[in-house]
Amino acid sequence: MADVVVVGSANVDLVLPVQRIPRPGETVLASGLSRGPGGKGANQAVAAARAGASTAFVASLGADESGELLRTALTESGVDLSLVSTTSTPTGTAIITVAADGENSIVVAPSANAELALSAEALSAIRSAKVVLAQLEIPFPTVQAAAEASSYFVLNAAPAAELSDELLAQVDLLVVNETEAEAVGGLLLDRVPAAVITLGAEGAVILTRGAAEVRVPGVPVEVVDTTAAGDTFCGVLAATLAAASTSSANTGSVTVGDLTNAVRRANVAASLSVKTAGAIPSVPHGENIDARAAEVYL
């Protein structure tokens, strides 16, 4: 069974490079159009696999050309797709505008993602995984079911949403940016035992009950496209936490030191991802992450 199981969305990305993100009611002209594999779940699964973890993906794809595009990209990255279901509903689609400064704006049509439910086989894989990672581009009941079956559950609460106490009670580690942290509501450590708040170019903050706040500084880099930065961070974080496990049986225990090391590696990976356009094409491989990390954290 896989050490990391990612439960999440898979989309085909339609990317429009623009000089700047349009304001409400404004039309801008794009300098081109590209089409490629993406979706938060797929990006995170690729990131975990490329970071060195045996990774299985639980997702729903359409029986269409877009689905085949995603299957090919995921397989080439070493992701186990035996738990991916196929539906007559079209594969999800994301329309992404990317500004000249690398910032982006994204609209997602969930389509097949909205039909994702957990099979008995998926639940078995989730129970045996060292780390389970999910996001919020799939139905909330599916996220809840994955959380309840996990030994160590990481929730990337994106897109931003208010979360129920029932779901948060099952979360071992919450990963959010500043906007998503506000949407969750309340003091984070009153609702989850540990949280990582990503700060973009400023790095990340680690919060854990009973321990001091840890700040991980950002890594300076020339930004081309930030589309997959957050997903790369989450996937590499999950892979690194899984590798830090000292037992093949799931103890559900992660030390502050393990978490700090994982955030540092994930932070470096995210900084590498923004140097390349696109989602899955921008996700770095483990050897490149570790080489850059050795330079950053001398």
Side-chain angles (χ1 to χ4, degrees), residues 80-95:
D80 179 355
L81 301 186
S82 61
L83 302 174
V84 173
S85 59
T86 303
T87 175
S88 59
T89 303
T91 297
T93 301
I95 298 176

Side-chain angles (χ1 to χ4, degrees), residues 126-137:
I126 287 168
R127 292 188 186 102
S128 68
K130 293 180 180 178
V131 177
V132 176
L133 171 62
Q135 333 74 38
L136 300 177
E137 287 183 344

Side-chain angles (χ1 to χ4, degrees), residues 178-278:
E178 292 176 283
T179 300
E180 292 153 1
E182 292 178 4
V184 170
L187 297 173
L188 290 183
L189 294 186
D190 287 345
R191 309 193 75 191
V192 295
V196 174
I197 303 175
T198 59
L199 306 173
E202 301 303 314
V205 176
I206 304 169
L207 306 173
T208 53
R209 289 177 185 163
E213 173 183 299
V214 177
R215 287 190 170 263
V216 176
V219 180
V221 66
E222 184 175 343
V223 176
V224 173
D225 182 359
T226 61
T227 298
D231 295 335
T232 296
F233 183 99
C234 291
V236 174
L237 179 70
T240 309
L241 289 174
S245 174
T246 57
S247 172
S248 58
N250 296 303
T251 64
S253 176
V254 170
T255 69
V256 174
D258 289 340
L259 183 54
T260 301
N261 289 335
V263 169
R264 286 175 175 168
R265 189 171 187 239
N267 195 45
V268 168
S271 75
L272 292 174
S273 76
V274 303
K275 297 169 65 176
T276 302

